Amino acid sequence: MSEPKVYYFDNNATTRIAPEVVDAMIPFLREFWGNPSSAYQFGAQVHGHVEVARGHVAALINAEPKEVTFTSCGTESNNSAIHSALRTTGKRHVLTTKVEHSANINYGEALERQGHEVTYLPVESDGSLDLHRLEQSIRPDTAIVSVMYANNETGVVFPIEEVAAICRSKGVLCHTDAVQVPGKLKIDVRQLGVDFLSLSAHKLHAPKGVGMLYVKRRTKYAPYVIGGHQERGRRGGTESVANIVAFGRAAELAMATLTEENTRVRALRDRLENWILTHIPNTIRNGAKEPRLPNTTNIAFDFVEAEAVLMLLDQVGICCSSGSACTTGSLDPSHVLSAMGVPAMRARGSVRFSLGIYNTGEEVDHVLEHLPRIIQRLRDISPLNPGHPDNDQYDVEAARRKHEEDLASAQAEAISA
Ligand SMILES: Cc1ncc(COP(=O)(O)O)c(C=O)c1O
């Protein structure tokens, strides 16, 4: 029985593991399963492969291998950088933005509960950052500034080189969450001048469960996961060897596919976006057109609920999302779009399409064939649509409240089921 075709437009959530990456990791599941810390040959040879992978990941960001610490995921890398800065500086303030991934926002909230202070910088309506405001917000007790390189929901790219320069001028550590960037934009830590940088392998065609934290040489470091002496004492826990080897292979491939992401994938994204914006009325792109990741578009469809759009797209095999996969199921509008001042109703009708190297022109055609009909169908029955025939006495707020109640009870039912 053949699998139904999946039209995958959610590459910012996770990516398909590249066949070359699967091939690279299989020997480390089948034959070379020794512990890389063991002294005998069977372990030592595995250790050698971990170091080769470290070299490939370091090359991806123009770092030295020693500056790369493998972790379990991007979330751990972000948490570790901030934790380390607080520990090594003894300061208590963290400066970040309102549009970070929950890996930062929720960690920041946890730190606040422990007595630290966290400032979440606002963004402009196009998702960009006011650097003057950032500079003004650095305080004498600021331990670290953590600003994402590119936003996972809108693709908007922040000027990290300038952020790092401001941090240096103030003597403050600088971290960037670059989880969405590899393979899409060139990353050069020397040029960026950051002290810490996070990556996650599953965003670049490698498996879930492995990430890395770049720690600039000579930066003081306090480990987050404390245990054995693995990763030169920076992260306890036996290395996830097959995943690390996979990460290394994916890093090599990501450097090779950079051009394709910026030409073919960008052209597909632009065709999808331009077609939607010109052929489907009452649509608008969320976030600046540039600088932006070449694979991401986030579009608001007025008078519909994104969750309904996603459900109907799913019925024709199309996978995309209404925001971060880590916040799926939440009834609140995206915190990123809210921070940009997108009205709640518009935010709730916003859909993110994130493309990748495996997408084809035919797949984009498939979306464009089904999407207009789906949006029209939902608008025809939408109580949010002022053009709806029953809407002479239209009360937007009441309709929205009713809709929220319906969604909440549907969700409660789903949870109890
Ligand atoms: C910008 C960003 N940071 C961090 C993460 C978390 O990465 P991980 O899933 O590896 O913990 C994600 C994942 O979606 C992300 O998009």
Side-chain angles (χ1 to χ4, degrees), residues 12 73-75 78 101 103 148 150 152 177 179-180 200 202-203 326:
N12 288 8
C73 58
T75 301
N78 283 9
H101 189 267
M148 68 197 327
N152 46 303
D177 171 351
V179 163
Q180 288 297 339
S200 175
H202 75 99
K203 310 289 183 178
C326 303

Side-chain angles (χ1 to χ4, degrees), residues 53-134:
R54 195 185 308 280
H56 291 315
V57 174
L60 177 67
I61 59 171
N62 193 26
E64 290 170 17
K66 269 190 190 166
E67 294 173 312
V68 167
T69 297
F70 288 116
T71 63
S72 66
C73 58
T75 301
E76 185 191 322
S77 302
N78 283 9
N79 288 193
S80 303
I82 296 171
H83 166 88
S84 176
L86 290 168
R87 278 292 162 92
T88 58
T89 63
K91 296 180 175 178
R92 56 189 294 270
H93 176 238
V94 175
L95 180 57
T96 186
T97 79
K98 286 190 172 173
V99 296
E100 300 297 310
H101 189 267
S102 48
N104 259 25
I105 302 278
N106 291 349
Y107 186 56
E109 287 170 5
L111 288 173
E112 286 180 282
R113 288 192 290 275
Q114 291 163 21
H116 290 93
E117 275 189 56
V118 183
T119 304
Y120 305 89
L121 286 170
V123 294
E124 308 297 308
S125 59
D126 64 355
S128 63
L129 199 59
D130 178 345
L131 291 181
H132 180 67
R133 190 168 191 161
L134 179 136

Side-chain angles (χ1 to χ4, degrees), residues 74 232 275 363:
R232 297 171 48 249
W275 197 96
E363 290 178 338

Side-chain angles (χ1 to χ4, degrees), residues 98-102 105 153 327 333-340:
K98 286 190 172 173
V99 296
E100 300 297 310
H101 189 267
S102 48
I105 302 278
E153 293 192 24
T327 51
S334 142
H335 71 282
V336 173
L337 300 182
S338 301
M340 289 160 59

Side-chain angles (χ1 to χ4, degrees), residues 2-327:
S2 66
E3 294 285 319
K5 169 133 175 88
V6 170
Y7 296 82
Y8 191 73
F9 287 84
D10 205 13
N11 285 273
N12 288 8
T14 196
T15 54
R16 173 186 162 184
I17 306 180
E20 299 91 325
V21 170
V22 175
D23 290 346
M25 69 189 291
I26 281 177
F28 296 89
L29 299 170
R30 285 193 198 282
E31 297 133 51
F32 304 109
W33 42 262
N35 189 324
S37 298
S38 298
Y40 41 76
Q41 267 303 308
F42 188 57
Q45 65 183 1
V46 173
H47 172 79
H49 288 279
V50 168
E51 293 316 304
V52 171
R54 195 185 308 280
H56 291 315
V57 174
L60 177 67
I61 59 171
N62 193 26
E64 290 170 17
K66 269 190 190 166
E67 294 173 312
V68 167
T69 297
F70 288 116
T71 63
S72 66
C73 58
T75 301
E76 185 191 322
S77 302
N78 283 9
N79 288 193
S80 303
I82 296 171
H83 166 88
S84 176
L86 290 168
R87 278 292 162 92
T88 58
T89 63
K91 296 180 175 178
R92 56 189 294 270
H93 176 238
V94 175
L95 180 57
T96 186
T97 79
K98 286 190 172 173
V99 296
E100 300 297 310
H101 189 267
S102 48
N104 259 25
I105 302 278
N106 291 349
Y107 186 56
E109 287 170 5
L111 288 173
E112 286 180 282
R113 288 192 290 275
Q114 291 163 21
H116 290 93
E117 275 189 56
V118 183
T119 304
Y120 305 89
L121 286 170
V123 294
E124 308 297 308
S125 59
D126 64 355
S128 63
L129 199 59
D130 178 345
L131 291 181
H132 180 67
R133 190 168 191 161
L134 179 136
E135 185 165 8
Q136 299 299 307
S137 306
I138 295 177
R139 315 188 322 202
D141 65 341
T142 303
I144 188 165
V145 173
S146 178
V147 173
M148 68 197 327
Y149 199 153
N151 187 271
N152 46 303
E153 293 192 24
T154 60
V156 169
V157 174
F158 284 149
I160 297 305
E161 202 175 330
E162 287 162 75
V163 171
I166 292 171
C167 292
R168 260 196 317 283
S169 74
K170 300 264 184 182
V172 173
L173 292 165
C174 180
H175 165 251
T176 190
D177 171 351
V179 163
Q180 288 297 339
V181 183
K184 301 170 192 163
L185 303 177
K186 188 165 165 273
I187 304 178
D188 183 337
V189 286
R190 299 271 165 266
Q191 190 179 335
L192 289 174
V194 291
D195 303 290
F196 302 101
L197 179 142
S198 306
L199 295 184
S200 175
H202 75 99
K203 310 289 183 178
L204 60 143
H205 304 289
K208 293 148 198 64
V210 59
M212 79 104 215
L213 179 65
Y214 157 80
V215 183
K216 190 176 165 185
R217 61 173 175 246
R218 289 195 278 278
T219 305
K220 283 195 189 138
Y221 190 73
Y224 187 64
V225 178
I226 297 171
H229 57 269
Q230 294 91 350
E231 297 297 293
R232 297 171 48 249
R234 291 190 160 177
R235 201 254 180 199
T238 303
E239 295 87 341
S240 179
V241 175
N243 279 349
I244 289 174
V245 169
F247 193 2
R249 184 73 183 107
E252 283 185 288
L253 296 174
M255 287 199 281
T257 53
L258 198 57
T259 312
E260 185 184 353
E261 283 272 2
N262 281 281
T263 51
R264 195 184 67 80
V265 176
R266 181 187 290 274
L268 287 181
R269 188 275 311 265
D270 288 346
R271 179 157 77 83
L272 177 72
E273 177 175 289
N274 292 337
W275 197 96
I276 294 172
L277 295 179
T278 49
H279 289 85
I280 305 184
N282 298 306
T283 52
I284 187 166
R285 180 187 55 249
N286 292 312
K289 194 168 164 59
E290 293 296 338
R292 188 167 50 133
L293 293 176
N295 76 319
T296 309
T297 179
N298 188 313
I299 298 179
F301 297 88
D302 281 349
F303 319 127
V304 297
E305 290 284 349
E307 297 310 317
V309 179
L310 299 185
M311 252 173 52
L312 295 182
L313 285 173
D314 192 21
Q315 286 177 6
V316 286
I318 299 167
C319 308
C320 53
S321 72
S322 58
S324 162
C326 303
T327 51

